[in-house]
Amino acid sequence: MSETVPTSEETQVKPAAKPKAEKPPAIEELPFEEFINIHYLPALTKAFGKNGVTDLHLEFANFQVRGTWAQGLRQFTVYFSKADLNAQKAFSCADAGRSPSTIEPFLIDERKAPLDLLVFGVIQRLTAQKWLQPN
């Protein structure tokens, strides 16, 4: 019985590496309007629900997300300067059905604005107004 000795070529042959599966893009990399409508508005609704707000109405138009609740007496608006989550943003809120008196910079210290931070920023601002939960 003779044994065959593998040649050096046979011992060095390695199986082909599997191609790396491409990661799907982060949701923040989706087109602006798609991100707002499919991810941001539902995430805001869920966050408000966790804070006991059940009658939240959200609208998105002209790079602005506007929310109203408490039978329209309370409102907020997140302003995007352009169709880019990382561009300048502003925030306003108003009570008793009045127009906002101040528009403030929103998340200006952040290089990127992921979904969780955009939602947290709104909840934080309205909690500071004592509209969602007592401080």
Side-chain angles (χ1 to χ4, degrees), residues 7-18:
T7 64
S8 63
E9 283 181 25
E10 292 174 339
T11 58
Q12 291 180 359
V13 174
K14 295 180 182 177
K18 292 182 182 178

Side-chain angles (χ1 to χ4, degrees), residues 61-77:
N62 302 321
F63 305 132
Q64 298 177 14
V65 173
R66 183 167 186 240
T68 58
W69 75 101
Q71 300 175 348
L73 294 176
R74 291 194 167 159
Q75 67 176 345
F76 73 90
T77 305

Side-chain angles (χ1 to χ4, degrees), residues 20-52:
K20 290 186 178 181
E22 289 188 30
K23 288 184 181 178
I27 60 173
E28 291 83 4
E29 294 173 7
L30 294 172
F32 180 74
E33 289 191 19
E34 183 178 341
F35 170 82
I36 295 293
N37 287 311
I38 295 175
H39 298 286
Y40 188 49
L41 299 182
L44 278 174
T45 301
K46 184 176 179 181
F48 272 78
K50 286 182 180 179
N51 285 284

Side-chain angles (χ1 to χ4, degrees), residues 80-101:
F80 294 89
S81 61
K82 57 184 177 179
D84 180 359
L85 295 177
N86 300 316
Q88 289 183 329
K89 294 171 278 306
F91 181 87
S92 67
C93 58
D95 197 10
R98 290 181 238 143
S99 295
S101 60

